[in-house]
Amino acid sequence: MNLDLFEGLPDETENAEPEKTSIEKIGEQSVVLRQFASAMQHDLITAIDQIAARAPFRQMVTPGGYRMSAAMTNCGTLGWVTDRQGYRYQAFDPLTGKPWPAMPVIFKTLAIQAASLAGFNDFQPDACLINEYAIGAKMSLHQDKNEKDLSQPVVSVSLGMAATFLFGGLQRQDKSQKILLQHGDVVVWGGVDRLRYHGILALKAGCHPLLGERRINFTFRCAG
Ligand code: SIN
Ligand code: FE2
């Protein structure tokens, strides 16, 4: 299904650029909002650079002792971390001992608007995990389930190089849909889909005009 988001709204001018944002339904309560973040790309990248200057990207270690291939940081009241002790959310960056940088207003606004378009009207994100993928980096199938409030959705924004998102079912062995996520695409999943397994295939070689040989993804949740 492919619905024009702004169907029915009058064009600003007769020669207005065709609106590229569209909604693709990928599950009962899951959508891809194509190009939804594109208009804000420069502000988003500036904000990510500022966050990373205070809370640097780092490759964390899983409880099983594996170093993750994606590098991570966070903004917001709570940040997701992993180490030999386990997966959890915490208010302090283990690297600096300081609180995570605040969630920029444009981040929060984007997340709330995207959630609302997907049918989740009262999204109150307090955590934003930012993943940086170099070529070859990936994320294995997993569920996002460390958050306290699973009635609230996950909103995921992709920038930079394209990657294949795996969107599976509620059981690890369920078949996954393969969805190519490009710069500016936003995915929202919640409700009956909130605990669906998902992951990212290894990033293929390439280069993005704004972010170079990188993909940045940031996900909003209500964690506390
Ligand atoms: C995640 O599941 O935290 C990241 C998903 C993505 O990089 O698109
Ligand atoms: Fe995830």
Side-chain angles (χ1 to χ4, degrees):
M1 183 163 66
N2 207 333
L3 305 171
D4 189 337
L5 251 189
F6 297 101
E7 214 166 41
L9 293 183
D11 274 348
E12 272 171 28
T13 70
E14 226 170 287
N15 299 322
E17 285 279 300
E19 184 50 69
K20 282 190 291 180
T21 302
S22 63
I23 302 185
E24 272 172 47
K25 190 166 170 165
I26 57 168
E28 192 72 35
Q29 290 185 279
S30 317
V31 294
V32 181
L33 306 173
R34 293 287 179 197
Q35 297 300 300
F36 189 64
S38 302
M40 299 170 241
Q41 56 185 352
H42 296 289
D43 290 344
L44 295 172
I45 292 169
T46 302
I48 288 165
D49 287 344
Q50 287 169 353
I51 292 163
R54 291 176 48 203
F57 283 108
R58 80 295 304 259
Q59 287 172 279
M60 299 190 217
V61 174
T62 65
Y66 294 98
R67 193 161 289 281
M68 297 187 75
S69 61
M72 297 176 170
T73 185
N74 291 275
C75 66
T77 317
L78 291 170
W80 185 87
V81 297
T82 174
D83 57 21
R84 292 307 296 241
Q85 272 70 56
Y87 304 123
R88 64 192 173 275
Y89 279 94
Q90 63 179 49
F92 292 87
D93 178 350
L95 206 59
T96 64
K98 295 189 187 139
W100 297 105
M103 193 183 292
V105 173
I106 53 156
F107 273 40
K108 200 162 186 168
T109 309
L110 171 66
I112 290 171
Q113 285 175 348
S116 154
L117 274 172
F120 301 99
N121 280 320
D122 192 29
F123 187 35
Q124 292 174 311
D126 58 9
C128 175
L129 169 65
I130 310 173
N131 299 312
E132 181 186 55
Y133 298 79
I135 289 161
K138 66 182 174 75
M139 193 159 308
S140 309
L141 273 184
H142 66 278
Q143 294 170 295
D144 288 3
K145 60 177 182 188
N146 301 128
E147 299 75 28
K148 281 214 183 95
D149 191 349
L150 295 175
S151 75
Q152 299 222 16
V154 176
V155 173
S156 156
V157 181
S158 294
L159 295 175
M161 289 172 57
T164 302
F165 179 61
L166 300 175
F167 194 53
L170 294 174
Q171 310 291 328
R172 186 182 290 280
Q173 65 275 14
D174 291 346
K175 195 170 158 32
S176 294
Q177 302 174 55
K178 282 188 180 157
I179 300 163
L180 188 70
L181 294 182
Q182 282 173 310
H183 180 78
D185 289 346
V186 178
V187 188
V188 183
W189 64 96
V192 295
D193 293 329
R194 180 61 178 73
L195 289 176
R196 283 176 72 161
Y197 277 85
H198 57 279
I200 287 287
L201 293 184
L203 202 68
K204 290 192 184 141
C207 188
H208 185 270
L210 291 178
L211 285 170
E213 296 184 329
R214 287 192 298 162
R215 168 176 187 263
I216 304 269
N217 170 270
F218 45 108
T219 47
F220 299 89
R221 311 100 189 263
C222 180

